[in-house]
Amino acid sequence: MRKGLAASAVVLAGSALLGFPAGAVWGAVAPRAQLQEISQGTAQVVNAETSAFIAADGWFCLIGVIVGLATGALGYWLAVRRGGASATAALILGAIAGTLIMLWTGEQIGQATYQHQLATSAANTLFNSSLALGAKSCLAFWPLGTAAIIALIELARRHDAPRQDALDDSAAAF
């Protein structure tokens, strides 16, 4: 029992900690909208039709799906096969924590520079906005990817189990 709880805690923590590098990747690749200082401490988007906000959300979703599929597959191989439901729950809870850490980490990258430029720039100065997630539904992609890959692997294993039993029975008959 203690061994299972310890393994689940390790799986949860390991999955959650992946949020830091995932957030760093999101912070590095996601585009930012260009802003123009209109008065001290106030800026507006230069191009109201910019796709930077949607693209940033898209990058968050893509990274979340990739990390979710990876943690689901690796977590299944390392933990779920032996730990069962508790390891599965730990992976999914770790994915939820990881996606929140990813959000926080990505939004922190460049935040200090943005705040400094907003506070000190002269009127008409152009600079990039800070990164923010607009579509909060993107937070579900990592946990859903993790859960989906675990479910698919488990379904495939259960689907193949009767066939393997039948093959073993037919081989024993000869």
Side-chain angles (χ1 to χ4, degrees), residues 19-80:
F20 290 110
V25 169
W26 180 51
V29 300
R32 288 161 172 79
Q34 191 171 41
L35 302 177
Q36 183 175 19
E37 183 96 11
I38 55 174
S39 66
Q40 184 153 7
T42 306
Q44 66 183 12
V45 176
V46 173
N47 178 6
E49 296 179 10
T50 183
S51 62
F53 300 114
I54 295 170
D57 289 358
W59 275 106
F60 189 93
C61 293
L62 179 65
I63 294 165
V65 166
I66 290 168
V67 175
L69 295 175
T71 56
L74 187 62
Y76 187 89
W77 183 66
L78 293 173
V80 173

Side-chain angles (χ1 to χ4, degrees), residues 61-167:
C61 293
L62 179 65
I63 294 165
V65 166
I66 290 168
V67 175
L69 295 175
T71 56
L74 187 62
Y76 187 89
W77 183 66
L78 293 173
V80 173
R81 291 184 306 159
R82 288 177 235 129
S86 64
T88 301
L91 273 170
I92 294 170
L93 289 173
I96 293 168
T99 198
L100 293 172
I101 291 170
M102 177 181 164
L103 173 65
W104 180 83
T105 302
E107 287 182 342
Q108 295 308 306
I109 295 172
Q111 180 71 356
T113 302
Y114 165 75
Q115 291 296 333
H116 176 74
Q117 289 176 328
L118 187 62
T120 61
S121 295
N124 296 322
T125 302
L126 298 175
F127 56 93
N128 289 329
S129 68
S130 62
L131 189 58
L133 185 66
K136 300 304 183 208
S137 58
C138 294
L139 294 170
F141 280 76
W142 183 344
L144 286 175
T146 298
I149 200 73
I150 291 170
L152 287 173
I153 293 170
E154 191 61 31
L155 283 172
R157 282 190 62 222
R158 290 183 185 208
H159 185 333
D160 288 344
R163 289 183 188 170
Q164 188 61 40
D165 291 342
L167 289 174

